[in-house]
Amino acid sequence: MPLEHTLPPVQRWALTLSYDGSRFYGWQKQAGGVATVQAALEQALSRIACAPMHTIAAGRTDTGVHATAQVVHFDTAAERSEQAWIRGVNAHLPEGVAVWRAQRVDARFHARFDAFGRRYRYVLQSTPVRPPLLLGKVGWTHTPLCLAAMQEAVALLVGKHDFSSFRAAACQAKSPVKTLYSASLQGSADLMALDLHGNAFLHHMVRNIVGALVYVGSGRMSVAGFAALLAEKSRLKAPPTFMPDGLYLTGVDYPPEWGVATPPPPEWLWF
């Protein structure tokens, strides 16, 4: 009788990686060989696994948006060590992206669908002259800003809301209703960081919020006007979308059962 051939068991791995979004055309792989984070990562993984690889991320980031702790998962039959998925993969990645944690996870774990929270930080600088040494790393406006007024507006965002006023026209989310667990603005009028922690985010939601906050800080919109904009549930009267440069995905939350921890934002991110 012929010998039975058994396929090697498939393993599921989770990676945590960081990247400089200004070097890529977003996360998602695109046709035509466009430089994206997913394309670069899958090519490097394929070199280590000696087979084509496919990754699923916790969330897609746009061109120019950075990540300090993006989470992805992939399946493979290749028997490789944790360090192979870190050091080996990094050896084949371009500058601007690196894996810093790899862990074997349960086959049921899903980087996107199991995430119950996502964390973003937007770093904003207000100076008369653009900051050349932080080009691509911070958002910038030459307009003087009132931090206190902006902080009042930020407090209005906490809770469950219809965020249609901060939703891009091309957004594909099924519902504009999202929950922000926390929202804070810290720093000074010259350099500040907006931290948002929510269950999910709409396309351009953070950048649209920043655009409105800049209007509040510059006096072009009152705090009451910001509250009215949120209640309006429409982009028609909203300020323009702000630049992606200062936006960072800083963490993804998962239930403890999966063992995928959420790291704090790195110290260097507070300029």
Side-chain angles (χ1 to χ4, degrees):
M1 297 181 63
L3 295 175
E4 292 186 2
H5 294 281
T6 58
L7 296 175
V10 173
Q11 304 173 4
R12 179 158 292 187
W13 284 82
L15 304 179
T16 305
L17 59 149
S18 303
Y19 50 83
D20 176 354
S22 65
R23 296 171 180 258
F24 301 94
Y25 291 94
W27 160 263
Q28 190 173 15
K29 187 164 53 177
Q30 301 177 35
V34 176
T36 68
V37 182
Q38 185 181 25
L41 178 61
E42 290 182 356
Q43 184 177 25
L45 287 170
S46 298
R47 296 283 295 274
I48 300 302
C50 300
M53 301 292 287
H54 175 67
T55 58
I56 295 178
R60 287 176 275 180
T61 51
D62 293 330
T63 300
V65 177
H66 317 292
T68 64
Q70 172 72 278
V71 177
V72 307
H73 83 255
F74 65 91
D75 294 329
T76 181
E79 291 283 350
R80 302 290 186 270
S81 68
E82 174 186 314
Q83 287 304 308
W85 297 124
I86 300 176
R87 295 180 182 274
V89 170
N90 285 340
H92 296 290
L93 284 172
E95 292 184 354
V97 56
V99 175
W100 54 268
R101 183 167 64 192
Q103 58 189 118
R104 179 90 177 267
V105 291
D106 190 282
R108 297 169 298 164
F109 172 78
H110 196 285
R112 179 184 174 191
F113 297 140
D114 284 324
F116 67 83
R118 292 163 177 83
R119 301 166 187 263
Y120 285 92
R121 172 170 290 183
Y122 194 101
V123 182
L124 175 65
Q125 186 165 32
S126 170
T127 52
V129 178
R130 67 181 184 276
L133 298 182
L134 295 177
L135 182 65
K137 301 300 186 295
V138 300
W140 171 72
T141 177
H142 63 83
T143 307
L145 300 176
C146 174
L147 179 63
M150 296 171 72
Q151 288 173 326
E152 284 188 57
V154 167
L156 301 173
L157 297 169
V158 178
K160 186 176 182 179
H161 301 285
D162 182 326
F163 284 99
S164 292
S165 295
F166 305 106
R167 181 183 191 178
C171 181
Q172 298 178 357
K174 294 181 179 179
S175 171
V177 177
K178 305 298 175 187
T179 300
L180 284 188
Y181 306 131
S182 65
S184 64
L185 186 65
Q186 59 181 324
S188 67
D190 296 332
L191 183 64
M192 60 189 75
L194 171 68
D195 284 304
L196 298 177
H197 180 204
N199 66 333
F201 289 80
L202 302 168
H203 191 203
H204 287 175
M205 178 173 159
V206 179
R207 291 169 57 191
N208 287 332
I209 288 174
V210 173
L213 289 175
V214 169
Y215 267 49
V216 172
S218 64
R220 285 182 285 179
M221 177 184 289
S222 65
V223 175
F226 185 90
L229 175 63
L230 177 61
E232 186 97 13
K233 304 173 187 177
S234 171
R235 282 292 296 161
L236 294 178
K237 298 180 181 179
T241 304
F242 214 68
M243 64 185 69
D245 304 40
L247 182 55
Y248 298 78
L249 172 63
T250 58
V252 185
D253 300 326
Y254 295 100
E257 63 193 85
W258 301 125
V260 181
T262 307
E267 293 183 5
W268 58 260
L269 186 50
W270 181 237
F271 297 103

